[in-house]
């Protein structure tokens, strides 16, 4: 079997002997969502991120993905890099992967950081929206779908005040492989519900939410945090769904405070 390190596009910062943190990006973005975290935490941690299969520069293959196969990739990376008790930090789709990874084997992880995400599955309306997205991509490619999806991920303020950064992210995501975007949509559509697992979480957990996140609102994420024994909860001011990009300063401060207390 081909090594995941040879196939998936991986990025690291910091020294391998330091405590590892694996960062998992959201949909339909790539590893660069975590650029400011890899820079900030590199002195004290070994930071690892990668393009989730089918997105960014990682291969699409047959485009048939599930959250389970994404978790398989995550554990393969942990094994191949020989990471001992990594901290897993996932945002939105990356959060679905992180939480399911914890459900499968939390004893292998030191801590969990669950950002702008939810444990619940899509409701029917959400599922039908994803099906409509797949149909649209089949008919016309991924560009319009991605360009309609992404504005909802960011706060209006970020889109206006950080227009250059925002447009760069938008144009890059619009280049995503149509098969990769569809594969991710199907993976999210078919994910399992991890709500029941929340009360079983035994590892230190931080729940982070952008103040203006409309996908997973602060109220919803606070309710999620309240179900996790001992979980910490942080709202990132003036940030939408993509909080580590929109307000990296406060995101990094919240993460740093959690990490130093582990
Ligand atoms: C993401 O940012 O990963 C997506 O918004 C997740 C989703 O569509 O459920």
């Amino acid at each position: 079997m081909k090594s995941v390190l040879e196939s998936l596009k991986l990025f690291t910062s910091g020294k391998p002997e330091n405590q590892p943190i694996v960062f998992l990006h959201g949909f339909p973005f790539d590893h660069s969502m975590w650029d400011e975290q890899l820079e900030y935490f590199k002195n004290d941690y070994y930071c690892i991120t990668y393009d989730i299969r089918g997105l960014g520069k990682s291969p699409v293959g047959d485009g048939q993905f599930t959250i389970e196969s994404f978790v398989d990739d995550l554990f393969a990376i942990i094994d191949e890099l020989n990471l001992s008790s990594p901290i897993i930090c996932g945002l939105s789709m990356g959060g679905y992967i992180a939480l399911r990874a914890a459900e499968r084997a939390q004893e292998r992880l030191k801590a969990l950081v669950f950002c702008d995400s939810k444990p619940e599955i899509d409701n029917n309306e959400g599922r039908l929206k994803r099906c409509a997205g797949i149909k649209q991509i089949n008919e016309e490619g991924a560009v319009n779908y991605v360009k309609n999806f992404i504005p909802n991920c960011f706060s209006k303020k970020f889109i206006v005040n950080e227009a250059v950064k925002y447009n760069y992210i938008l144009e890059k995501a619009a280049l995503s492989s149509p098969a990769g975007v569809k594969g991710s949509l199907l993976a999210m559509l078919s994910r399992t519900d991890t709500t029941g697992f929340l009360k079983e979480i035994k590892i230190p957990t931080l729940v982070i939410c952008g103040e203006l996140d409309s996908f997973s609102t602060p109220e919803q994420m606070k309710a999620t945090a309240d179900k996790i024994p001992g979980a910490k909860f942080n709202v990132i001011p003036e940030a939408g769904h993509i909080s580590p990009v929109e307000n990296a300063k406060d995101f990094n401060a919240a993460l740093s405070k959690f990490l130093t207390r582990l």
Side-chain angles (χ1 to χ4, degrees), residues 25-29 33 91-96 116-118 122 130 145 149 153 185 188 191 215 241-242:
H25 66 79
F27 164 90
F29 303 100
M33 166 177 285
L91 184 138
S92 201
M93 184 176 81
Y96 307 152
D116 301 282
S117 191
K118 51 179 83 145
D122 295 345
R130 297 207 201 269
Y145 173 79
F149 182 85
C153 295
L185 284 168
M188 291 191 286
R191 72 188 188 273
F215 278 88
H241 187 53
I242 312 297

Side-chain angles (χ1 to χ4, degrees), residues 2 15 31 73 84 141 176-177 193 196 202-203:
K2 201 169 175 197
K15 296 196 186 102
H31 72 279
D73 279 339
S84 159
S176 301
S177 143
D193 192 317
K202 294 185 176 54
I203 53 177

Side-chain angles (χ1 to χ4, degrees), residues 99-244:
L99 195 53
R100 177 63 188 139
E103 186 173 35
R104 274 171 53 172
Q106 63 174 314
E107 68 285 356
R108 297 194 59 192
L109 312 178
K110 185 171 179 75
L112 177 66
V113 186
F114 189 60
C115 317
D116 301 282
S117 191
K118 51 179 83 145
E120 298 88 9
I121 51 172
D122 295 345
N123 61 20
N124 283 350
E125 191 191 343
R127 287 185 163 180
L128 290 172
K129 241 185 180 164
R130 297 207 201 269
C131 295
I134 290 168
K135 185 175 180 198
Q136 181 185 2
I137 296 167
N138 280 336
E139 286 170 359
E140 57 178 61
V143 176
N144 289 337
Y145 173 79
V146 167
K147 287 196 169 181
N148 282 331
F149 182 85
I150 289 188
N152 302 317
C153 295
F154 291 87
S155 64
K156 299 236 169 356
K157 193 172 164 202
F158 182 82
I159 294 174
V160 172
N161 292 358
E162 299 282 351
V164 174
K165 206 167 175 180
Y166 171 75
N167 283 316
Y168 177 73
I169 295 169
L170 181 74
E171 295 303 332
K172 191 155 126 169
L175 296 175
S176 301
S177 143
V181 174
K182 287 189 293 177
S184 297
L185 284 168
L186 278 170
M188 291 191 286
L189 198 157
S190 61
R191 72 188 188 273
T192 54
D193 192 317
T194 42
T195 313
F197 166 64
L198 299 176
K199 63 178 183 315
E200 312 294 335
I201 297 181
K202 294 185 176 54
I203 53 177
T205 300
L206 171 65
V207 176
I208 294 185
C209 185
E211 180 186 21
L212 306 168
D213 188 344
S214 56
F215 278 88
S216 36
T217 65
E219 293 70 31
Q220 290 167 330
M221 290 213 74
K222 167 84 171 63
T224 296
D226 285 345
K227 294 189 181 113
I228 304 172
K232 304 275 181 264
F233 176 62
N234 262 101
V235 174
I236 307 301
E238 300 192 345
H241 187 53
I242 312 297
S243 56

